[in-house]
Amino acid sequence: MAEDLPDEFDVVVIGTGMPESILAAAFARIGQSVLHIDRNPYYSGQWASFSLKTIEEWVQGLQKPEDKADIPDVKAEEVLVDLHLTDNSYSKHKLLFHISDPVPESEVKREPQEEIAEKVQEVTSDSGENKSDNAGKDLVSSNEVKTVESAEPTGTLEDSKEQLATGNSSEDGIHNPQTSDSNNSEQECENQNIEANKTETINPGTNSESENKNQMSISSEQVTGWTESKLRKEWRKFNLDLSPKLLYCAGSMVELLITSDIAKYCEFKTVSRILTLIDGKLKRVPCSRADVFSSKDVSMIEKRMMMKFLTFCVNYEKQEEDYKDFIEKPYKEYLEHQKLSKNVIHFIQHAISMTNNSTLTPEGLKKTQKFLHSLGRYGNTAFLWPLYGSGEMPQSFCRMCAVFGGVYCLRTPAASLIVNSDNICTGVVMTTGKLIKCKHLVMETSYAPDSYIDRVSNRLVNRGILVTDKAIMSTDDPHQLSLLRIPDDGDPEHPATLLELPGSSMTCPHGLYVVHLTKECKDDKQSPEESLQSAVTGLFKSDTKDDERPQILLSIYFQQKINIGGQSKSTPSNVILVPGPGPEIDIDQAVTIASRIFERVMPGEDFLPRPPNPEDIIFVDEEETQITQDSEKTEFNETSQDFEDNATKNESHEIDQSEKCSDSQTTDTLSECDQKQTDPDDQEFMANENSESVNNCKSEEKKDLVNTNRCLDPVVATLRILISAAI
């Protein structure tokens, strides 16, 4: 595939993540030739959405080492800088099914029956000399038969022995010989011993019966509910995001989708519920004016205080004197200075602005304002969720790039960069050995060599993907999308973010929920599962049977290393590194990064302007135009064309005659030459023809505007003849 590519492009984009796809569409939109490649067999890179089967393959693929053995050697005059062929950003991955397939009933019943048959054979094969031992064996066998067949022991012990000797043994094809009646004393002793030990022996049997009954009920529950095999069978209905992102309704991404007309490629669903944890209990956050006044979790005084502060945040820039003393202080201190209650501060900090304790006041006010401006634009919500996963968003921009001539190749890794002596990248070398020249190169950081990356700017993000059987907060509407910010007492600077998606979001089958957990961490000492354990333990089902919280059916944990944009001085001047998805829940950061890079590479150009209406675009093909002209020729057109050609020939002939008359030395005067050129009768005839042609054209123009061009052809020819005659 790489061998069929052109040898030169204006821009080569490596990686199909969100910022890279936006830049590819922006470059193609202004007429640049773009090559967009990815080493993966899927779009979106670190922003991808996977089905259940694909994400298992992805986890297994992370364990494979990088292999460069098959790359051919390429000789070039410039320096070759090797790129990473695999993504080393992920580590500590773990995928686990928390449910299993039930054991078939035939296998459940078969094992105890086989054990009973073996014990019955031992009992019947013994001689009468060890009847006391045999009696004990019979007792154990009878109790085991009851465990399988009934929940409670019924009848006497002798009935049980008789049932064992007749019914069960006959069913199994085993004949139990009857004992002799002569040993009555021994039988009475056996009965006394059995009656004495009856309570001690049956109690364990009763416990085993209840345990077996519970096992059978669990098995039947799993058969009717979700099992591992059933989840795997529905693998196509899952869309699990590696980096789930939301869109602010008034954010830069929504504005870009509208102005660039890329919104037609996307579908969205509103995040209708924002939750928070107060004193270990889930509560819904009142965001709009209606929610504030209808909320029962906020008192009347708190409602007035909250509405007054939120009204101030809408236009906080015009009232700088109210917060100028807190510009360099945390946002939480400013909230406390406003004498807001503890609940209101919690709502604003952790649910509306989504800030931590170290966030400065201007940034906190800006985030609060952004949230409030997004409310009410698309319903009573501030966030939108792209259907089928946020991995669909990069693909929308890829479609726009392809419309304007961008070339796409998946499974096409670049092996190395070609850098000249001026530290400028002149092209890339593919793994097949093909060399492609370029003027600019945009590359996702996971492709870049280690020498190009500023290690100081690395960030670690722990992510968890859970599939559950119910919502974390019960509601009458099972289709609500929920967002929850969970503070961490052990790490207050890095709270966890929870996003719960139902089946209506097109991320899982109906009846299930996909829960995304995201948390930034200081270092890699803790595994992702340990880092998110406090949030999982507080919200999801534990081992207790009477727990009504959601049950985790599947869990996936992994850690991601992200470069936030820093690149070293050794990076070529025309090579731009693009960071991966950060821990932020919104996607606007990717738009900001892409717009800055575009302005740097193409200063003064419009960033993704709206494309023209397809109805206004006229495509001209020379071959098709020639065929169309030939097909539109009619008898009238041919006659007009012949008439015009004849007129042109006559005109040229008359001009030659006039030149001869002027140059000749005969007695012919100029008037005689004029008489030779055109007879007066011919002039009168032509004048009449001219008037008739004009009148015909006027009448035809009134009837049909299309015939105007046809009528003008003879008129033009006639005028040319008159002009030549006058000369």
Side-chain angles (χ1 to χ4, degrees):
M1 185 66 180
E3 298 298 328
D4 299 332
L5 294 173
D7 296 332
E8 187 174 356
F9 288 89
D10 293 330
V11 183
V12 173
V13 182
I14 303 178
T16 54
M18 189 75 254
E20 305 96 276
S21 300
I22 295 175
L23 286 170
F27 289 135
R29 179 64 184 85
I30 62 174
Q32 297 288 309
S33 58
V34 178
L35 172 63
H36 203 175
I37 59 177
D38 199 315
R39 63 194 166 199
N40 301 307
Y42 51 84
Y43 283 95
S44 305
Q46 296 183 357
W47 304 69
S49 298
F50 291 142
S51 64
L52 182 58
K53 182 178 180 180
T54 311
I55 201 168
E56 289 187 81
E57 297 174 353
W58 175 79
V59 172
Q60 295 174 0
L62 295 177
Q63 304 173 2
K64 297 180 180 179
E66 188 171 355
D67 186 13
K68 295 185 178 182
D70 298 334
I71 300 176
D73 295 333
V74 178
K75 294 182 180 180
E77 297 179 357
E78 293 88 353
V79 179
L80 295 179
V81 181
D82 293 337
L83 301 178
H84 289 295
L85 299 181
T86 58
D87 192 351
N88 299 322
S89 303
Y90 300 97
S91 60
K92 300 182 179 180
H93 40 273
K94 180 180 179 181
L95 188 150
L96 179 64
F97 284 88
H98 296 264
I99 54 175
S100 59
D101 296 333
V103 180
E105 295 183 2
S106 59
E107 295 183 5
V108 174
K109 292 183 179 181
R110 188 182 304 159
E111 293 181 358
Q113 287 179 356
E114 291 177 354
E115 293 178 359
I116 293 169
E118 292 177 358
K119 293 181 179 180
V120 170
Q121 288 178 355
E122 293 178 359
V123 172
T124 54
S125 62
D126 289 340
S127 61
E129 297 178 355
N130 298 324
K131 286 186 178 181
S132 60
D133 296 337
N134 292 339
K137 293 179 181 179
D138 291 345
L139 181 61
V140 175
S141 300
S142 63
N143 287 332
E144 289 179 354
V145 171
K146 292 177 187 176
T147 303
V148 177
E149 293 183 352
S150 61
E152 297 181 357
T154 57
T156 62
L157 187 60
E158 293 296 327
D159 296 334
S160 302
K161 291 175 66 177
E162 183 178 358
Q163 183 182 2
L164 175 63
T166 58
N168 290 330
S169 57
S170 60
E171 290 177 1
D172 297 335
I174 301 173
H175 299 280
N176 188 13
Q178 297 181 355
T179 57
S180 174
D181 295 334
S182 60
N183 298 325
N184 293 330
S185 60
E186 293 180 1
Q187 185 67 34
E188 290 176 0
C189 292
E190 290 176 7
N191 292 337
Q192 291 176 0
N193 293 333
I194 291 171
E195 292 295 337
N197 299 326
K198 184 175 182 180
T199 56
E200 297 179 3
T201 309
I202 291 179
N203 287 335
T206 306
N207 292 335
S208 62
E209 290 169 4
S210 60
E211 290 176 2
N212 197 7
K213 183 179 179 180
N214 292 333
Q215 291 178 359
M216 296 295 294
S217 62
I218 292 174
S219 299
S220 60
E221 224 175 63
Q222 289 182 348
V223 170
T224 57
W226 289 96
T227 61
E228 181 178 350
S229 60
K230 189 173 181 180
L231 282 179
R232 293 182 182 276
K233 186 178 180 181
E234 301 289 338
W235 64 275
R236 294 181 183 273
K237 296 183 180 180
F238 287 93
N239 289 291
L240 307 176
D241 286 283
L242 296 182
S243 302
K245 299 292 181 181
L246 298 176
L247 286 76
Y248 275 101
C249 294
S252 56
M253 176 56 79
V254 171
E255 297 298 332
L256 182 62
L257 291 174
I258 295 173
T259 56
S260 62
D261 199 27
I262 299 179
K264 61 186 177 183
Y265 299 126
C266 310
E267 295 180 89
F268 300 94
K269 187 175 177 63
T270 58
V271 180
S272 55
R273 192 169 62 170
I274 298 179
L275 306 176
T276 187
L277 270 173
I278 298 180
D279 298 330
K281 295 182 179 180
L282 282 174
K283 295 184 179 181
R284 187 165 183 171
V285 179
C287 301
S288 63
R289 183 184 296 271
D291 291 341
V292 170
F293 286 103
S294 63
S295 175
K296 298 180 181 179
D297 299 325
V298 185
S299 63
M300 287 300 299
I301 298 176
E302 290 176 333
K303 291 178 181 179
R304 292 182 179 179
M305 296 168 59
M306 188 173 182
M307 286 305 305
K308 182 179 179 181
F309 181 78
L310 294 179
T311 304
F312 158 76
C313 291
V314 173
N315 298 310
Y316 75 93
E317 302 97 334
K318 300 179 181 179
Q319 306 177 42
E320 187 177 353
E321 63 278 0
D322 292 345
Y323 64 92
K324 64 180 180 179
D325 296 335
F326 293 87
I327 291 179
E328 298 181 356
K329 294 181 180 180
Y331 187 44
K332 186 177 181 180
E333 292 185 12
Y334 178 70
L335 296 176
E336 294 173 350
H337 176 73
Q338 295 296 318
K339 297 180 180 180
L340 301 175
S341 65
K342 183 179 179 181
N343 285 350
V344 174
I345 292 176
H346 183 90
F347 287 152
I348 295 175
Q349 182 182 5
H350 296 291
I352 295 178
S353 64
M354 296 186 182
T355 56
N356 51 36
N357 295 335
S358 62
T359 304
L360 297 180
T361 299
E363 184 181 356
L365 290 172
K366 185 177 181 180
K367 289 186 175 181
T368 305
Q369 182 192 56
K370 186 177 183 179
F371 182 92
L372 296 175
H373 283 173
S374 298
L375 281 175
R377 186 173 186 181
Y378 300 108
N380 189 18
T381 181
F383 295 102
L384 296 176
W385 166 259
L387 292 182
Y388 304 98
S390 56
E392 289 290 313
M393 296 299 299
Q395 299 182 49
S396 302
F397 289 89
C398 291
R399 293 187 184 100
M400 178 60 69
C401 178
V403 167
F404 285 91
V407 179
Y408 279 84
C409 288
L410 300 180
R411 300 184 184 91
T412 309
S416 57
L417 304 181
I418 303 175
V419 182
N420 61 16
S421 58
D422 297 329
N423 199 25
I424 296 176
C425 177
T426 60
V428 295
V429 178
M430 313 305 291
T431 53
T432 58
K434 183 178 178 59
L435 191 150
I436 298 177
K437 296 181 180 180
C438 64
K439 299 176 183 178
H440 301 280
L441 189 137
V442 178
M443 179 170 49
E444 200 266 320
T445 53
S446 65
Y447 292 81
D450 297 337
S451 59
Y452 287 4
I453 298 176
D454 183 10
R455 297 184 180 275
V456 179
S457 60
N458 286 338
R459 302 170 70 179
L460 295 175
V461 181
N462 290 329
R463 300 187 185 275
I465 305 174
L466 310 178
V467 178
T468 63
D469 61 345
K470 63 175 68 174
I472 57 176
M473 185 176 181
S474 59
T475 178
D476 296 335
D477 185 6
H479 303 296
Q480 290 191 356
L481 282 72
S482 303
L483 179 63
L484 172 64
R485 185 91 162 177
I486 307 173
D488 190 351
D489 297 334
D491 188 9
E493 298 299 324
H494 302 105
T497 304
L498 183 147
L499 177 63
E500 185 182 63
L501 306 171
S504 58
S505 64
M506 303 302 176
T507 56
C508 61
H510 289 284
L512 296 181
Y513 292 82
V514 173
V515 178
H516 291 281
L517 294 169
T518 305
K519 186 181 186 303
E520 188 176 0
C521 55
K522 299 178 181 178
D523 48 45
D524 57 353
K525 293 181 180 179
Q526 282 187 327
S527 66
E529 187 176 6
E530 294 173 348
S531 177
L532 299 169
Q533 188 61 37
S534 59
V536 173
T537 304
L539 295 173
F540 300 98
K541 182 177 292 187
S542 60
D543 296 334
T544 56
K545 298 178 182 179
D546 56 347
D547 200 341
E548 296 181 355
R549 292 178 294 179
Q551 180 185 358
I552 300 176
L553 309 180
L554 170 68
S555 64
I556 304 171
Y557 294 97
F558 56 90
Q559 188 176 88
Q560 185 178 10
K561 181 177 68 174
I562 300 171
N563 180 273
I564 61 174
Q567 57 188 50
S568 64
K569 297 180 180 179
S570 62
T571 307
S573 57
N574 62 337
V575 173
I576 300 171
L577 302 184
V578 181
E584 300 83 9
I585 192 61
D586 65 285
I587 204 172
D588 290 344
Q589 183 67 17
V591 180
T592 304
I593 293 172
S595 60
R596 290 176 181 175
I597 294 175
F598 182 82
E599 181 63 26
R600 170 185 166 186
V601 178
M602 301 290 175
E605 295 287 347
D606 293 336
F607 180 63
L608 273 176
R610 189 179 186 88
N613 192 339
E615 297 178 356
D616 299 334
I617 300 176
I618 300 175
F619 297 96
V620 179
D621 191 342
E622 296 180 358
E623 296 180 358
E624 293 182 359
T625 304
Q626 184 65 30
I627 295 173
T628 304
Q629 291 177 353
D630 295 340
S631 63
E632 289 180 353
K633 285 185 177 180
T634 61
E635 183 179 356
F636 179 77
N637 288 336
E638 292 176 356
T639 305
S640 301
Q641 185 67 27
D642 295 339
F643 182 74
E644 185 176 357
D645 294 340
N646 294 331
T648 305
K649 291 180 181 179
N650 294 332
E651 181 180 358
S652 60
H653 178 70
E654 291 163 0
I655 292 173
D656 294 337
Q657 291 294 334
S658 62
E659 290 178 353
K660 291 180 180 179
C661 292
S662 61
D663 294 337
S664 63
Q665 300 297 326
T666 60
T667 58
D668 292 340
T669 60
L670 182 61
S671 58
E672 291 177 350
C673 290
D674 292 337
Q675 291 178 358
K676 290 181 180 180
Q677 293 175 17
T678 307
D679 190 76
D681 296 336
D682 294 337
Q683 293 180 1
E684 183 179 359
F685 174 75
M686 293 178 184
N688 294 332
E689 285 290 329
N690 184 20
S691 60
E692 290 178 2
S693 299
V694 173
N695 293 331
N696 291 334
C697 286
K698 289 182 179 180
S699 60
E700 290 293 334
E701 184 178 5
K702 292 179 181 180
K703 294 179 181 179
D704 191 359
L705 293 176
V706 179
N707 295 329
T708 303
N709 294 331
R710 297 180 178 179
C711 294
L712 288 177
D713 292 337
V715 174
V716 172
T718 305
L719 290 175
R720 288 178 179 177
I721 295 174
L722 291 175
I723 292 171
S724 62
I727 293 175

